[in-house]
Amino acid sequence: MRPLAVLVGLPGSGKSTVGRLMAGYLGVGFRDTDEDIVLGTGRSVAQLFSLEGERRFRELEKAAVRTALAGHAGVLALGGGAVVDPDTRRLLAGGPVVHVDAEVREVLGRRGGVAGRPLLAGDAAARLRELAAQRAPFYREVARVSVAGRGRDAAQVAQAALRSLSLRPVC
């Protein structure tokens, strides 16, 4: 069992929103690995970073991604940093991976775009630019398609992703 689509991208890029819409259009389930981690630990991502550190969070994330890739047949959104792990990138290779490509200013302008995201504490714009530069090669490596969010709402991004993967909505 493999997901129909896996979404990757920067924190706050809209992966979960787009993924939920895609799942709705396809009539399948949606899953978010960050939500899996929160449910499994009883702690928010911010609490995990604060109490256990980024390293522990990445271990939990790697396990959550592996489990979701093996056991979810719908649409899956990964945390923004999941692609940093080489084992995760190998698992994603050749899969139906969509890079939700959002510009830094887009993310910053979104309601809730950076709130509660531990890696964006402090100067969120500078941190997002840094993360974008570090992770862009990984997003390109794993993505079958990249869908730009510039000038599009989440529904338009979801529809473009579906078209790019040749997936047909049921509704």
Side-chain angles (χ1 to χ4, degrees):
M1 178 181 326
R2 294 280 292 187
L4 293 173
V6 180
L7 305 178
V8 299
L10 285 174
S13 62
K15 299 177 299 287
S16 294
T17 301
V18 169
R20 281 185 180 87
L21 288 168
M22 289 175 68
Y25 294 145
L26 294 169
V28 298
F30 171 75
R31 190 165 176 176
D32 180 312
T33 57
D34 280 352
E35 291 174 6
D36 288 350
I37 294 166
V38 170
L39 287 172
T41 64
R43 293 185 173 150
S44 70
V45 172
Q47 288 171 324
L48 286 166
F49 266 77
S50 173
L51 298 171
E52 299 187 38
E54 183 176 1
R55 182 176 170 182
R56 176 66 179 139
F57 175 79
R58 296 298 173 204
E59 291 169 357
L60 294 167
E61 180 176 58
K62 182 177 178 176
V65 169
R66 179 179 299 279
T67 299
L69 286 172
H72 182 68
V75 177
L76 176 64
L78 304 188
V83 297
V84 173
D85 180 74
D87 292 332
T88 296
R89 291 197 306 275
R90 279 191 285 281
L91 289 172
L92 294 171
V97 180
V98 176
H99 173 213
V100 179
D101 187 12
E103 292 181 349
V104 170
R105 64 175 153 63
E106 279 182 276
V107 173
L108 294 171
R110 289 190 178 134
R111 184 172 42 102
V114 297
R117 299 178 189 274
L119 288 181
L120 301 181
D123 185 348
R127 286 293 298 141
L128 264 176
R129 282 191 295 275
E130 181 182 327
L131 291 175
Q134 290 170 352
R135 295 175 180 176
F138 301 133
Y139 296 140
R140 283 192 299 271
E141 178 185 336
V142 301
R144 182 182 299 173
V145 298
S146 183
V147 179
R150 292 176 278 293
R152 294 177 168 167
D153 64 23
Q156 292 168 320
V157 173
Q159 291 164 357
L162 291 172
R163 281 191 306 275
S164 295
L165 293 175
S166 299
L167 295 172
R168 300 181 67 92
V170 294
C171 52

